[in-house]
Amino acid sequence: MAMQAGYVERALETVRKRNPGEAEFHQAVLEVLESLKPVFKKHPEFEEAGILERIVEPERQIIFRVPWQDDKGGVRVNRGFRVQFNSALGPYKGGLRFHPSVYLGIIKFLGFEQIFKNSLTGLMMGGGKGGSDFDPKGKSDSEVMRFCQSFMTELQRHIGADTDVPAGDIGVGGREVGYMFGQWKKLTGLFNGILTGKGLDFGGSLVRTEATGYGCVYFCEEMLKDRKTSFAGKSVVISGSGNVAIYAHQKATQLGAKVVAMSDSGGFVHDVHGINLDTIKQIKEVERKRIKEYVKAHKSAQYTEGCAGIWNVECDVALPSATQNELDEDAAKTLVKNGCIAVAEGANMPCTPEAVKVFLENNVSFGPGKAANAGGVATSGLEMAQNSQRLAWSFEEVDEKLHRIMVDIHHSAKAASEEYGTPGNLVNGANIAGFMKVARAMMAQGIV
Ligand code: NDP
């Protein structure tokens, strides 16, 4: 055992030395590698083939200048990124994030997670991620368009429908994907499945918009089934009010739950009678305003400044769906004290490692992001399949496939958690199940 543990420790040490200052990337790698220790014990051939050393090093990292002009004619410069992490299972696949906090360490943490998440979907997709430190907040539509065009002017030389297919993430929704697709077509002359999350009129897939939120709830439903219960009658807290949070609300409500709190980066709204989704959609999707506007339309709701306080709201189920490290140890303890029985991560790495430990130690069913939020990329994979076929499937057909995939992911994670000696620990299970497929493919493809 000591030798196997040594292998993981050595790989972690190399990651820390080679990627200084990239705290989120270190955190993501540590979490996965810790889970994999029993795998290396059982499969010494992975160590001999240097699988760990190779899997933590991106195949390619591209950093570029994105110059654009604001509405006053001023020149602005942002930084663009695309990290092509691992192509063992298929073309690189993963979203683009536009947020001022973006730097290489964030893109690498997301790209690394994406490898295992994409593997879990069972579809042919490698792992990648990209984005920019551009802040879409407060920018006009024309400014966003000029930025997206400049971003794609460089990105287009690195991507392709059979090599690397980006999608949306924080700050990148249908509007941004549309502008980037237009620029791709203009520059290359190709009308193909180069981006997913496209508009329905030009190659997008039904259910892609809803997929991550729906998928997270489908996954959580499986966790609840294991506890012999369901969403019916449960009170749910969902952080964020973006793409993931909105559709998690919709599906949880359809299944009979009541969503009692939602947030944005400014604060959260709480209403014991339930949060009205139409109002949230109007404020966040149409008007692009702050969630505090909500209380103007709903007098029974209260707004509290500061988004972290949302975890003090009593609930049966929590779906953190905003951003990384938004739910810490204290918040986890409060949720446990208040009787929360299940947490599924709609966002990527929203719970700190200390918070995850609290959940696992207190018999809270916990669905890690790379499993629970894989429905978004899974449906992106289905969009790619439709684009290749030049066909569009119905809402019901895509939703049914998504549902099936989420049930299968839960099953694989649960089975791996049992096989490797930590039954019910879906963090270990998801990491191991995702890793095994990638590792086997890397072994089969030789040292490349
Ligand atoms: P959106 O941009 O649509 O929404 C993000 C939401 O999170 C907004 O409500 C935003 O508030 C809030 N938020 C963002 N940054 C912070 C922060 N630093 N502190 C507090 N709140 C914050 O993004 P998505 O819904 O697409 O993504 C949410 C999460 O889900 C991310 O972790 C993403 O990586 C993950 N994810 C998304 C997928 C997808 O298909 N979209 C797929 C899989 C994972 P505000 O409006 O104030 O900025």
Side-chain angles (χ1 to χ4, degrees):
M1 186 66 190
M3 195 188 83
Q4 282 77 30
Y7 181 41
V8 163
E9 264 82 60
R10 282 200 309 281
L12 281 170
E13 193 48 35
T14 309
V15 167
R16 288 196 192 100
K17 273 203 188 127
R18 197 175 264 165
N19 309 278
E22 297 177 1
E24 297 83 358
F25 179 48
H26 301 173
Q27 184 182 334
V29 172
L30 176 69
E31 187 231 87
V32 172
L33 267 52
E34 281 292 327
S35 298
L36 296 179
K37 282 179 180 171
V39 173
F40 296 111
K41 190 172 178 202
K42 203 163 170 181
H43 295 280
E45 69 274 18
F46 291 156
E47 181 171 352
E48 282 153 29
I51 293 291
L52 265 196
E53 294 87 330
R54 287 193 276 150
I55 215 165
V56 296
E57 185 65 19
E59 290 177 17
R60 202 168 295 103
Q61 309 181 49
I62 302 142
I63 304 182
F64 51 98
R65 182 174 71 192
V66 190
W68 56 281
Q69 270 187 305
D70 62 29
D71 286 343
K72 296 194 175 114
V75 176
R76 308 276 195 107
V77 177
N78 286 98
R79 184 170 279 187
F81 302 89
R82 187 71 184 163
V83 173
Q84 299 178 330
F85 224 117
N86 191 299
S87 59
L89 298 184
Y92 308 104
K93 183 88 197 91
L96 300 169
R97 175 176 293 192
F98 293 169
H99 193 271
S101 64
V102 164
Y103 76 107
L104 189 58
I106 294 264
I107 300 298
K108 276 160 74 176
F109 121 62
L110 291 164
F112 185 70
E113 291 272 299
Q114 199 81 47
I115 304 171
F116 308 102
K117 181 187 305 190
N118 294 3
S119 166
L120 284 168
T121 67
L123 303 173
M124 276 176 57
M125 296 184 290
K129 199 83 188 186
S132 172
D133 56 4
F134 174 73
D135 186 359
K137 271 205 204 84
K139 306 286 190 304
S140 69
D141 276 357
S142 349
E143 288 176 327
V144 170
M145 180 180 75
R146 285 193 294 275
F147 173 81
C148 289
Q149 289 173 338
S150 179
F151 185 83
M152 181 52 84
T153 300
E154 174 61 32
L155 187 69
Q156 56 91 20
R157 55 182 103 241
H158 309 290
I159 60 177
D162 291 317
T163 50
D164 184 356
V165 183
D169 189 78
I170 291 180
V172 178
R175 174 181 62 168
E176 291 76 15
V177 169
Y179 291 148
M180 286 190 277
F181 183 74
Q183 184 72 353
W184 161 265
K185 196 159 54 67
K186 171 103 181 162
L187 292 169
T188 64
L190 298 171
F191 194 117
N192 59 0
I194 182 57
L195 286 158
T196 56
K198 298 185 290 299
L200 293 177
D201 296 325
F202 54 98
S205 173
L206 285 162
V207 196
R208 176 61 189 90
T209 306
E210 294 85 354
T212 310
Y214 276 23
C216 180
V217 171
Y218 290 149
F219 189 91
C220 193
E221 199 184 13
E222 295 306 301
M223 300 199 308
L224 292 172
K225 270 189 204 162
D226 278 348
R227 302 180 77 108
K228 309 266 179 289
T229 184
S230 73
F231 267 103
K234 298 278 183 303
S235 60
V236 179
V237 166
I238 305 179
S239 62
S241 47
N243 173 261
V244 179
I246 284 175
Y247 293 96
H249 180 313
Q250 191 170 84
K251 185 51 72 180
T253 308
Q254 282 171 12
L255 295 179
K258 186 163 65 179
V259 177
V260 293
M262 291 182 85
S263 62
D264 65 14
S265 56
F268 69 95
V269 285
H270 175 209
D271 189 342
V272 283
H273 305 297
I275 300 289
N276 182 297
L277 190 59
D278 289 339
T279 311
I280 294 283
K281 286 176 82 169
Q282 178 64 24
I283 295 169
K284 299 307 283 188
E285 289 186 338
V286 181
E287 298 167 10
R288 295 181 191 275
K289 286 191 176 156
R290 312 306 302 155
I291 206 166
K292 69 173 163 209
E293 301 288 318
Y294 182 89
V295 291
K296 288 186 187 157
H298 299 276
K299 301 294 176 207
S300 59
Q302 298 117 37
Y303 174 74
T304 308
E305 204 68 43
C307 47
I310 193 170
W311 308 119
N312 297 324
V313 174
E314 247 176 65
C315 63
D316 303 304
V317 175
L319 305 175
S321 304
T323 194
Q324 64 275 353
N325 294 327
E326 54 159 318
L327 196 166
D328 64 12
E329 183 177 10
D330 287 343
K333 285 181 177 159
T334 306
L335 283 166
V336 170
K337 183 166 64 73
N338 288 342
C340 175
I341 56 164
V343 177
E345 295 185 321
N348 284 309
M349 213 166 73
C351 301
T352 64
E354 297 77 23
V356 175
K357 200 160 168 266
V358 170
F359 294 137
L360 295 177
E361 285 172 358
N362 286 279
N363 190 31
V364 173
S365 301
F366 178 74
K370 64 172 72 65
N373 71 35
V377 73
T379 309
S380 278
L382 301 178
E383 181 173 331
M384 289 166 74
Q386 292 168 80
N387 290 167
S388 300
Q389 282 187 315
R390 302 277 195 268
L391 287 175
W393 305 335
S394 69
F395 190 97
E396 291 69 28
E397 198 174 349
V398 182
D399 190 33
E400 196 197 310
K401 286 185 164 64
L402 166 66
H403 193 185
R404 183 75 255 154
I405 289 171
M406 297 314 297
V407 171
D408 287 349
I409 293 175
H410 178 264
H411 177 81
S412 314
K414 193 174 152 191
S417 78
E418 285 160 9
E419 186 184 341
Y420 284 87
T422 50
N425 181 331
L426 299 180
V427 175
N428 286 348
N431 285 334
I432 293 171
F435 171 82
M436 288 305 285
K437 209 171 138 196
V438 182
R440 284 197 303 264
M442 288 175 73
M443 297 281 289
Q445 292 169 22
I447 300 173
V448 288

